[in-house]
Amino acid sequence: MDLPATAHAADILRDFIGHWRGITEIASSPWGTARTAESEVVFSKAAGGHAVVQSYRHREPDGTHFEGHGMFTVDRDHGDTLWYYVDSMGKGPAAPVRGTWSGGVLTLDRRTADGVARHTFRVEDGVLVHTADLRLEGHSGFSPLLKSVFRKSPEPGA
């Protein structure tokens, strides 16, 4: 994606901004069995539009809670969307994840000691879809990890 010199994360991620509720389908993985959770994510402008903050959480029927927080910004020198992310399962990032856009889909490969989690984000017809596929260390292919499908909801308290 060619970015204008004044590109802000809030401009590039404008379709994501807002409060979303939905369902996350979690595939069987080394961290648990397949299951479904009610989930929500909020994307908010920050730092005068130079950043977009992401706050995700879900609660499973057994009461298990998971949350993740990210910050997106733009590397105008290289045209990449950068993502700093940490969740309730692991350590914070050593460096931002570099993402690329193709056909309205943001793809980010998040590397950890366990392998690579390929995240995609897109908004299509008013629906936000976030997927993550996992390639564990020592394996050649990706397997589904999660798929979240969200619809915009009113801001809490609105």
Side-chain angles (χ1 to χ4, degrees):
M1 170 185 279
D2 291 331
L3 302 176
T6 58
H8 288 93
D11 296 332
I12 294 166
L13 298 167
R14 72 182 160 275
D15 290 344
F16 295 1
I17 304 290
H19 185 233
W20 303 80
R21 291 186 185 271
I23 299 293
T24 298
E25 296 174 358
I26 305 158
S28 180
S29 74
W31 302 281
T33 59
R35 59 211 183 272
T36 301
E38 291 185 17
S39 53
E40 68 180 315
V41 65
V42 177
F43 288 91
S44 307
K45 291 186 212 180
H50 290 281
V52 170
V53 175
Q54 166 201 25
S55 294
Y56 169 87
R57 66 179 167 191
H58 76 238
R59 183 166 305 277
E60 298 177 35
D62 69 358
T64 304
H65 174 263
F66 175 89
E67 66 180 84
H69 301 277
M71 183 188 75
F72 293 89
T73 190
V74 175
D75 177 348
R76 289 191 302 229
D77 293 336
H78 298 97
D80 296 333
T81 299
L82 303 178
W83 185 37
Y84 297 84
Y85 179 82
V86 63
D87 61 38
S88 56
M89 288 185 65
K91 299 184 287 184
V97 176
R98 290 188 171 273
T100 57
W101 289 88
S102 178
V105 177
L106 174 60
T107 301
L108 305 115
D109 283 355
R110 184 171 178 250
R111 296 179 197 316
T112 69
D114 296 322
V116 177
R118 175 167 290 156
H119 293 263
T120 65
F121 295 88
R122 73 179 186 280
V123 176
E124 210 170 277
D125 297 325
V127 176
L128 169 65
V129 178
H130 170 208
T131 64
D133 295 324
L134 181 64
R135 184 182 70 217
L136 292 173
E137 199 60 42
H139 292 82
S140 60
F142 283 90
S143 300
L145 180 61
L146 67 82
K147 180 178 183 179
S148 297
V149 177
F150 300 101
R151 297 202 186 286
K152 270 211 174 149
S153 70
E155 293 292 327

